[in-house]
Structures are given as C-alpha cells and as structure tokens.
Amino acid sequence: MYPITWIPHQMRTVVSFCYHLKKYEVPELAKSTVRIQDRKRVQEILQSIHNGGPSKLQVIADFDMTLTKFAHNGKRCPTCHNIMENSTVISEECKKQLQGLLDKYYPIEIDPKRTIEEKTPEMVKWWNEAHDLLISQKIQKDKLVLTVRESDARLRDGYRVFFDELKKQSIPLLIFSAGIGDVLEEVIRQAGVFHPNVKVFSNYMDFDESGILQAFKGQLIHTYNKREGALLNSDHFQELKNKRNIILLGDSMGDLTMADGVHSMENILKIGYLNDKVEEREAQYMDAYDIVLEKDETMDVVNGILKYITAKN
C-alpha cells in the first residue's frame, strides 16, 4: 500500500480520514452483546470525549452487578449485601429472613411496569430491614477480610485493565453504590485495584469501640436515590470541576442519575449492563442508556472505549 504522501493531493483528505477512523475505532462495539439505539449519536459523544482527552474525563460507576459479575458459570454472584448474608458471621435464621426480603423486594426493584416513585418506598423498607437484621448479628469488624476472601465475589473479566488504565491516565473513578462500602472496598482491595484515584460513596458500617457493628452511617443509599446522594456530594464534583466529560456505568434505572452533581457537564456516555429479565426490560434500557450490554460479564466494551478515548490524535 502506498504511503499517504504518494497519493494525489485530491485523495489525501479521504484517505487520511479513513486512516484515522480505522485507527480509533472501537471494535468491541461489534460484540453480539451490544445494543445501541442511536449509533450516530454514540459516535458523536465518543468523538467529543476523545477530543477532550483523559484530562477532562471522569468515570462514575455503580458496583454490584456493574463492576462485579451478575453470574459465573451459570451461578449468581453475590452483591455486597449477599457476601455478608452468605457468610458464617450470619446465623441460619437471619439468612432465611434476609432471603425472604430478597424474594419479596427484588421483583419490585426490577419490575419495568412500576415507576421509580412507586418503587422507592419499597426499597427504603428493604434496605432498612436488611440493615437491622445485619446489626442484630453483632458482626465483628475484624471478620470482614476473611468474609470477603471466602466469598464468591467476582469483578468482571477485564477489571484489572479497567482499573489500571484509569490510574495510569489519572482519570478519577467514583463508585456510587447502594451496597456496603466496607465490603466493597475490601473486594477491590483484595483484587489489588483500590488505587488512589478511586473514591467510594456507599453505605458504611458503624462499629463501636469493641469493633462490633452497631449501626450504618449517614444517609441511606438505595437503588433509586442516587441522585440525592450525588447532589449531597456536590463538593466532590466541585473538586473535579474541570472533568466535564463523563462515562457512566450502571445496571439499573436508578444509576442514570449518579452524575447529576457534576458541574458544567459537556458530554456523558451512559453504558448499562442488562443482566436479568432481558426481553422484558430491553426497550426500557435502550431508551435510557446510550449503550446496552446484554448478559455481558466482561469489561471488554468499556475497556475498548477507554482505549479509543485515550488514544493520542
């Protein structure tokens, strides 16, 4: 193939455009798990974020079933709450009660026919009842490390590339979770990716002087009140006021508001993992997220997008 400089002048612009398009394309978007309703719009957002470069980018992500796997080898993977519930620090009777709450409230959480306004009071009940049960177990703080180590918690395939690339490029990662912050931090710490650029907003345990769980700190964060949490933590976003381009990663309708506290946002690319009840919820997710990943247990698409955005012009 002839170098561009050997091609007639009239053709150089076209060849140069094709060369750069090929160089910066995101081949992972061709995966069978990817659904995109408006490809032209997605390409425009990607190009704008790429033009801004890593220095203007921040990533805001949910944790459970977004950065972690929904299932592995056909078996459901645990959320942060599940890690505690499945452990030896919880009595069998408590486990039955917690399972009863899951059976009651999870169908409500993912019901596409109910509005967020209808779901919210039910989620508050679920989280409060679950937390009260955990508090009743008088969990010892020093048992958390072993509890996480013995669990089936799994970050998505490709997680190390994701976390390490964000660290390398000095891109802030805000993890906004309705799970348990202490457990979440231990999962990523044991995975070796709790880097200095990672900030976590979540429900944190409050231990007494003896190291026994006595309460949960601060305002409750559940699936559908992350906007309130984002606005309450606007000081964090003020510190990142020059990070005006956002990649948002979530797995529920409630995750869509996690970036509402961002100041002077320029571009946002919303990527949603659709893990369960795919046929029933696909249309809703397609309308809400720019890119939908159906039953995809990897970070491949996200990593491909990061590679595209951080590539030099």
Side-chain angles (χ1 to χ4, degrees):
M1 181 175 179
Y2 292 115
I4 290 178
T5 53
W6 289 13
I7 297 173
H9 177 76
Q10 303 93 305
M11 295 177 61
R12 288 182 190 172
T13 301
V14 176
V15 174
S16 178
F17 172 79
C18 292
Y19 171 78
H20 287 292
L21 183 63
K22 184 175 181 181
K23 182 179 179 181
Y24 297 132
E25 68 185 2
V26 185
E28 291 82 3
L29 290 178
K31 286 186 68 174
S32 61
T33 58
V34 176
R35 301 287 181 272
I36 300 176
Q37 189 159 267
D38 189 341
R39 287 187 173 271
K40 184 175 182 292
R41 180 174 181 275
V42 166
Q43 184 55 50
E44 289 172 351
I45 295 172
L46 282 171
Q47 188 64 55
S48 294
I49 297 178
H50 166 74
N51 291 343
S55 64
K56 292 186 69 175
L57 179 64
Q58 61 176 301
V59 177
I60 302 175
D62 172 52
F63 187 71
D64 289 323
M65 298 181 286
T66 298
L67 297 183
T68 64
K69 288 187 174 186
F70 177 79
H72 181 72
N73 292 335
K75 180 183 177 182
R76 282 287 300 269
C77 292
T79 64
C80 290
H81 282 91
N82 295 152
I83 289 172
M84 298 304 302
E85 294 161 12
N86 297 338
S87 72
T88 57
V89 302
I90 302 295
S91 70
E92 291 302 315
E93 178 58 31
C94 185
K95 289 179 181 180
K96 290 179 183 177
Q97 292 177 286
L98 289 165
Q99 183 62 47
L101 295 180
L102 177 68
D103 294 341
K104 176 181 178 180
Y105 290 112
Y106 180 64
I108 297 173
E109 178 186 9
I110 66 170
D111 185 352
K113 296 179 182 178
R114 298 195 191 208
T115 66
I116 289 178
E117 290 72 24
E118 291 171 327
K119 293 179 181 182
T120 294
E122 301 303 312
M123 297 302 100
V124 172
K125 291 179 187 175
W126 184 7
W127 260 252
N128 281 331
E129 289 173 22
H131 286 178
D132 286 344
L133 284 171
L134 291 177
I135 292 166
S136 74
Q137 298 299 289
K138 301 187 182 302
I139 296 168
Q140 295 174 276
K141 184 177 183 179
D142 60 11
K143 295 290 181 66
L144 288 181
V145 173
L146 184 60
T147 296
V148 170
R149 185 174 296 132
E150 292 181 342
S151 75
D152 293 325
R154 289 179 178 272
L155 294 169
R156 290 188 185 272
D157 295 340
Y159 74 88
R160 188 170 298 280
V161 173
F162 171 74
F163 280 91
D164 288 355
E165 184 64 20
L166 293 180
K167 176 190 175 186
K168 176 184 174 183
Q169 300 287 347
S170 298
I171 298 171
L173 169 60
L174 167 60
I175 300 176
F176 213 138
S177 174
I180 302 175
D182 312 75
V183 176
L184 185 166
E185 288 190 6
E186 191 58 36
V187 170
I188 58 177
R189 184 178 292 111
Q190 291 187 18
V193 292
F194 197 177
H195 300 316
N197 63 310
V198 178
K199 174 76 173 178
V200 178
F201 292 150
S202 188
N203 301 300
Y204 280 89
M205 294 174 162
D206 186 13
F207 297 93
D208 64 19
E209 294 179 356
S210 301
I212 303 298
L213 177 63
Q214 62 178 358
F216 278 81
K217 300 175 183 177
Q219 178 184 331
L220 175 71
I221 300 176
H222 60 75
T223 307
Y224 294 111
N225 73 337
K226 291 186 177 181
R227 181 178 187 275
E228 297 171 30
L231 295 177
L232 282 173
N233 289 286
S234 61
D235 288 348
H236 168 80
F237 292 114
Q238 180 62 32
E239 294 174 10
L240 303 175
K241 60 184 178 182
N242 295 323
K243 308 286 186 179
R244 297 178 179 178
N245 291 329
I246 312 296
I247 294 178
L248 182 145
L249 308 175
D251 78 300
S252 77
M253 294 298 106
D255 293 331
L256 292 162
T257 60
M258 293 188 296
D260 283 10
V262 175
H263 297 266
S264 304
M265 186 190 304
E266 293 181 4
N267 299 282
I268 181 168
L269 182 69
K270 299 177 181 179
I271 303 174
Y273 282 93
L274 178 49
N275 301 302
D276 196 17
K277 308 291 184 185
V278 173
E279 291 185 5
E280 297 95 318
R281 300 195 289 165
E282 183 180 64
Q284 183 185 38
Y285 273 61
M286 291 282 285
D287 287 341
Y289 284 97
D290 301 303
I291 299 172
V292 178
L293 305 177
E294 296 183 354
K295 291 188 175 296
D296 186 336
E297 300 293 352
T298 78
M299 299 296 294
D300 291 349
V301 171
V302 179
N303 288 338
I305 287 171
L306 284 174
K307 184 178 179 181
Y308 171 88
I309 289 171
T310 58
K312 295 181 179 179
N313 290 308

